[in-house]
Structures are given as C-alpha cells and as structure tokens.
C-alpha cells in the first residue's frame, strides 16, 4: 500500500504539528427531526438543486452513531477533530438555548476529551435556521446580531472545553454560492445580494469574536476561509489584470477586511448599486485580532480577460488532472497562496482546516484502494511543508473529510472521506488513505 512520507526534519514529521480530521453538522448528522429546519432542508426540496436529489435528513446518522464515530476518530491516532455546531439544533426560535441540542455537543466534546482529542469547533458551516432566512437571512443586518447571540450562547456553555472556535466556515461559499450565483442554499442571485451577504457575515464574525472572548481566556478564536488561487492563462497584461481582479473578488474580498479593515480595490469597479451596505464602524468590528486563521484549500483556477457576457474576468474550465468532482489537482498552488497571504497580511498562526479530494472509490472485499487520494494528500502535505520552510507559521492540518458525507449540491454522489460510508447500512470502512494517514501520524517523532 502507498505510504505518506515527508522529510525527517520536516515540522510535519514532529508530534508538535497537529493532525486532524474534519466534518460539518449538516453533512453528517442527520437527526432532522430533533432540530429546527435550516436553509439546506428547504433548498434540497427545490427542483434541480441537488444532483442526485438526496438531502441531509439522514446523511451519516452521526446523531445516533456519534460514540462509535468518536472511537473511529480515536483509531486514526489524530490529535484533533474539527466539527461544526448546528445553529438550528442548539437555539430555539425565541433565542433560548435548546438543552437537548447543546447537550449533544457537550457530550461529544467530553467524549473527545476522554479520548485525548482536541475539539476544533465551527459555529457556522452553512446551516442557517430557516426562520432567520425567512426574515431575510444574510441580507438582513439583523442576522448579524442573531449570530452574535448564538455565538454568545454556545461559548457560554462550552467555554474553555474546546481548543478553538471558528466563527464561520468559508464566508465565500455562503455569500457567493448561496446569495450571488444561487447554487447553494438559499439559492438567491445577484451581485448586490452576494456582496451584502458577505458584508453581514464578516460583520457577524467580528461581533461573534467579541462574544466568544467574553467566555474563554484559553480557547483560540478565529475564522476559516477557503482560497482558490488564481493564475493567468497567459502572461499578457490583460490576462494578468483579470487574474488580479478575480483573486480580489473571490479570495481577498473575504480576507482583507479581517486584517486591513477594507475591501480590495476591485470594490471600486462595482457599480454603486452593487456595493454592500457598509455602516460607520463596521470595519473596526470586522478586523478583530485573531488567534488563528483556518485555510481550506482544494484546487486552483485560471483566468483571462473578460469575454462577452463576463464583467471582471473570464474563468476557465479546470485543467487535468482532476478529481472526481472535476477540480484540478495542483498542490503548488497551496504553497503559493500561503506565501501570498503571508506577504500580504500580518497573519496569526495558520491551520490548514480542510484539504482533500473526492475520488471514485469502490468498496471491494471490505477495502477501498484509494491510491489516488493518498497521492493527493502526499502532494499537499509536501506543499504545506514547503510553505513552512519558506516562513509561514502553520501549526496543523485537517483532512477533509473524516468520512464520506452529504456533499451539498453534489448530494451523496461525491465521496471525500478517508472512511467509506455505505449509506444503505451505515457501515463505515477505513479506506487505504485512512490507514496511510494513521501510519504517518503515529510515526511522527517527539
Ligand atoms: O464538503 C465541503 C465542505 O463543507 C466545505 N469545504 C469544501 C468541502 C468540499 O467541497
């Protein structure tokens, strides 16, 4: 079986570098009837939203199987588990705490602690309560304050019991995919909508940070952003300019406000009518000092000057080699973007909070020989190693995902797990990538 190998002197080969696995609530929990409805429940019921017409009602039945799942996590010898809390499971409509819901996460965290595993909690991984969406969702400034109440409530209960709190997972996906191009819940469209949602999410991050800090002195508090590094199709001036715009529009829009308290220059290219509603003092709230930043990386994209129908840039189809979801495998871009961010901003310690690949896995004789996924991890772990060697302060790496799960608009059709899930029986089987990951993690030096 293929192995994961890194130089002996690499920081990643030492026990001090943290390794983990990650999931999110809607993607694995199921247990739809023990929580309030969320925007993904509604979105999945609409025509032509989810490729295979599945939803997260059952998913991996993690709500029932969480103890076995914790044993599985422990069997991987990881240091940490990154998961998200479902807002509609822990908060009642009137803003009070749902005791059963919060109790689930308290037990989960206790179970992790007993097994010597650190908890990396995310407060918002896309499952906005539907009743809040009914009042405008992220287009309504009031949602910012609902989020701060929710963050306050959760932190008041979990306090110092977790290693870290991330306010949001991937503001780009919630805002751009959900409110600008409408391929994710709640399926709204328009530049103004997308930019407004992004601004409110960033603002909610700022207020959320403040609320969490009142309940913990020990836990690290920050945010998780996804990055898709942008490369020009040619070295023509036009392609370079378009690439810079794309980079600002899809990446830095969600990062620059956190550190510099303003939007990138591409903001000025938007028509007044498309700009987000910014109020005095917003940026001061958004750019709170953070203890860490989580970076999620999967692939890169290439760009050229806008063609007819484009506004700022033209985005190209992914190049081969591609994973099963059609994303180019290009590890160098992970090193490149980490260096770019490190040069552009005064970064706190960095965690790679998601990295992984959907592959066309086959369960044969109780085994999944996912050599392609092991190669993907090998390339990307080396990319992290190279970024550290070039001076980026990276403290940990989380494989996405612990197990196959509900992959949003792709439904159950795409498998990102290092553990295979048979959705008919809910039987979990370690893929070869899980075994390679475990072997590498267990062999690290003190
Ligand atoms: O499954 C998602 C996850 O929820 C957020 N980051 C990207 C993953 C793969 O698409």
């Amino acid at each position: 079986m293929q192995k994961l190998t890194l130089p002996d002197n690499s920081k990643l080969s030492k026990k001090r570098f943290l390794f983990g696995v990650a999931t999110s609530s809607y993607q694995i929990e199921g247990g739809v009837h023990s929580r309030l409805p969320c925007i993904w429940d509604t979105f999945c019921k609409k025509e032509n939203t989810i490729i295979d017409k599945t939803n997260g009602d059952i998913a991996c039945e993690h709500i029932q199987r969480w103890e076995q799942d914790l044993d599985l996590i422990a069997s991987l010898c990881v240091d940490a588990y990154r998961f998200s809390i479902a807002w509609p499971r822990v908060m009642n409509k009137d803003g009070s705490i749902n005791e059963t819901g919060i109790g689930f996460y308290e037990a989960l965290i206790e179970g992790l602690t007993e097994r010597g595993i650190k908890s990396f909690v995310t407060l918002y991984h896309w499952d906005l309560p539907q009743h809040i969406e009914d009042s405008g969702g992220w287009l309504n400034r009031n949602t910012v304050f609902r989020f701060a109440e929710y963050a306050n409530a959760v932190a008041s209960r979990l306090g110092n019991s977790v290693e870290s709190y991330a306010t949001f997972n991937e503001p780009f996906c919630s805002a751009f995919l959900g409110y600008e191009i409408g391929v994710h819940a709640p399926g709204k469209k328009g530049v103004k909508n997308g930019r407004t949602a992004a601004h409110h999410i960033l603002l909610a991050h700022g207020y959320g940070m403040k609320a969490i800090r009142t309940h913990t002195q020990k836990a690290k508090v920050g945010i998780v952003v996804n990055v898709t590094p942008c490369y020009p199709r040619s070295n023509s001036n036009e392609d370079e300019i378009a690439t810079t715009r794309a980079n600002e529009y899809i990446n830095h829009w969600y990062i620059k406000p956190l550190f510099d308290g303003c939007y990138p220059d591409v903001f000025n290219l938007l028509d007044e009518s498309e700009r987000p509603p910014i109020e005095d003092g917003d940026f001061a709230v958004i750019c709170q000092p953070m203890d860490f930043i989580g970076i999620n990386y999967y692939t890169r994209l290439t760009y050229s000057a806008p063609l007819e129908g484009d506004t700022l840039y033209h985005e190209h189809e992914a190049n081969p080699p591609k994973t099963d979801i059609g994303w180019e495998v290009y590890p160098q871009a992970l090193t490149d973007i980490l260096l770019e961010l490190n040069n552009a901003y005064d970064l706190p310690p960095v965690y790679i909070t998601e990295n992984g690949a959907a592959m066309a896995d086959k369960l044969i004789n109780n085994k999944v020989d996912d050599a392609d996924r092991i190669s993907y991890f090998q390339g990307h772990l080396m990319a992290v190693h190279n970024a550290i060697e070039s001076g980026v302060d990276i403290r940990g790496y989380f494989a996405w995902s612990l197990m196959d799960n509900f992959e949003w608009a792709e439904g159950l059709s795409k498998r990102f797990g290092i553990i295979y899930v048979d959705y008919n029986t809910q039987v979990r089987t370690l893929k070869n990538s899980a075994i390679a990951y475990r072997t590498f993690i267990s062999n690290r030096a003190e």
Side-chain angles (χ1 to χ4, degrees):
M1 192 197 304
Q2 229 177 316
K3 286 195 173 129
L4 292 170
T5 50
L6 281 140
D8 284 345
N9 64 355
S10 171
K11 287 231 165 94
L12 279 76
S13 305
K14 306 280 172 348
K15 287 220 162 100
R16 214 155 20 113
F17 189 89
L18 177 144
F19 276 95
V21 282
T23 62
S24 90
S25 45
Y26 188 81
Q27 292 181 275
I28 66 162
E29 283 182 358
V32 60
H33 300 299
S34 48
R35 60 161 170 77
L36 292 176
C38 76
I39 54 175
W40 276 91
D41 299 320
T42 312
F43 189 68
C44 290
K45 289 195 182 100
K46 290 190 186 152
E47 284 286 301
N48 303 323
T49 51
I50 313 297
I51 274 183
D52 59 3
K53 301 190 191 324
T54 55
N55 56 47
D57 285 5
I58 299 172
C60 307
E61 267 186 359
H62 174 68
I63 280 286
Q64 286 94 327
R65 296 168 186 271
W66 65 274
E67 285 180 283
Q68 291 133 269
D69 288 339
L70 291 195
D71 289 340
L72 267 182
I73 297 170
S75 80
L76 297 174
C77 303
V78 291
D79 309 300
Y81 175 46
R82 174 174 178 251
F83 60 94
S84 76
I85 293 188
W87 185 348
R89 191 176 291 290
V90 299
M91 298 300 281
N92 297 318
K93 269 192 185 167
D94 63 5
S96 61
I97 297 182
N98 178 321
E99 285 302 323
T100 314
I102 196 76
F104 169 73
Y105 297 106
E106 285 171 336
L108 190 75
I109 291 163
E110 207 181 306
L112 285 164
T113 309
E114 279 164 12
R115 289 166 178 81
I117 299 166
K118 296 183 164 78
S119 299
F120 277 60
V121 162
T122 303
L123 292 180
Y124 187 83
H125 199 125
W126 312 355
D127 36 7
L128 184 71
Q130 182 60 43
H131 68 97
I132 297 185
E133 177 59 31
D134 294 340
S135 307
W138 290 111
L139 301 181
N140 182 347
R141 194 173 167 96
N142 196 36
T143 300
V144 171
F145 305 103
R146 301 301 300 266
F147 177 80
E149 280 160 26
Y150 157 60
N152 183 59
V154 171
S156 76
R157 294 296 288 265
L158 305 187
N160 291 320
S161 68
V162 304
E163 178 73 10
S164 88
Y165 291 94
T167 51
F168 284 84
N169 179 69
E170 304 181 346
F172 162 86
C173 294
S174 294
F176 185 78
L177 303 181
Y179 287 86
E180 190 157 331
I181 62 168
V183 297
H184 276 190
K188 296 210 166 123
K189 291 189 179 147
V191 173
K192 173 81 174 180
N193 283 341
R195 301 295 124 176
T196 300
H199 187 69
H200 289 152
I201 287 171
L202 290 166
L203 192 59
H205 154 77
Y207 282 112
M209 292 275 308
K210 281 170 176 263
I212 297 165
R213 288 221 192 269
T214 62
H215 298 288
T216 175
Q217 301 71 45
K218 214 171 112 217
K220 302 178 186 83
V221 195
I223 193 171
V224 169
V225 296
N226 61 307
V227 285
T228 307
C230 304
Y231 292 81
R233 213 51 191 190
S234 80
N235 56 11
S236 74
N237 204 23
E238 293 77 9
D239 286 2
E240 301 264 2
I241 291 171
T243 304
T244 302
R245 285 182 189 162
N247 193 19
E248 290 185 356
Y249 199 72
I250 70 168
N251 294 319
H252 291 273
W253 192 281
Y254 309 90
I255 304 173
K256 193 173 171 66
L258 302 169
F259 294 104
D260 295 350
C262 61
Y263 285 113
D265 291 345
V266 72
F267 178 93
N268 300 312
L269 298 180
L270 296 188
D271 193 79
E272 295 261 354
S273 64
E274 295 174 326
R275 294 181 187 171
I278 303 169
E279 295 189 10
D280 284 353
D282 282 0
F283 286 119
V285 175
I286 293 172
C287 63
Q288 298 290 312
M290 294 190 285
D291 303 323
F292 78 97
I293 182 159
I295 302 288
N296 294 353
Y297 172 83
Y298 291 89
T299 191
R300 66 140 183 189
L301 281 168
T302 59
Y303 293 88
S304 56
L307 300 177
E308 214 183 304
D310 298 323
T311 45
L312 300 167
Y313 47 76
H314 184 72
E315 189 174 290
H316 288 263
E317 281 285 305
N319 300 323
K322 296 184 204 178
T323 63
D324 194 41
I325 202 169
W327 298 349
E328 181 180 357
V329 179
Y330 196 82
Q332 178 61 40
L334 175 54
T335 310
D336 292 349
I337 191 81
L338 287 165
L339 295 184
E340 178 187 324
L341 296 176
N342 202 40
N343 286 333
Y345 307 112
D346 186 11
L347 294 184
V350 174
Y351 288 83
I352 307 303
T353 31
E354 284 182 29
N355 177 238
M359 296 295 184
D361 300 318
K362 294 274 167 293
L363 179 69
I364 300 168
N365 296 334
N366 261 346
K367 290 194 164 74
V368 179
D369 182 10
D370 57 343
D372 43 9
R373 184 175 285 104
I374 300 178
S375 303
Y376 183 97
F377 283 131
Q378 174 65 41
H380 290 79
L381 289 172
M382 270 310 288
V384 175
H385 164 79
N386 292 337
I388 294 174
E389 290 297 297
S390 301
V392 189
D393 180 8
I394 307 171
R395 306 279 177 95
Y397 174 97
F398 290 79
W400 184 269
S401 175
L402 165 68
M403 58 186 158
D404 296 332
N405 57 52
F406 178 77
E407 177 52 28
W408 309 112
E410 309 287 333
L412 297 174
S413 72
K414 299 294 171 210
R415 295 181 175 272
F416 272 94
I418 60 172
I419 294 178
Y420 186 93
V421 177
D422 177 332
Y423 295 110
N424 293 318
T425 59
Q426 291 293 346
V427 169
R428 280 93 156 115
T429 307
L430 265 60
K431 300 180 191 176
N432 283 356
S433 57
I435 297 166
Y437 198 51
R438 175 178 68 194
T439 307
F440 174 75
I441 292 170
S442 330
N443 287 340
R444 284 170 303 161
E446 288 300 336

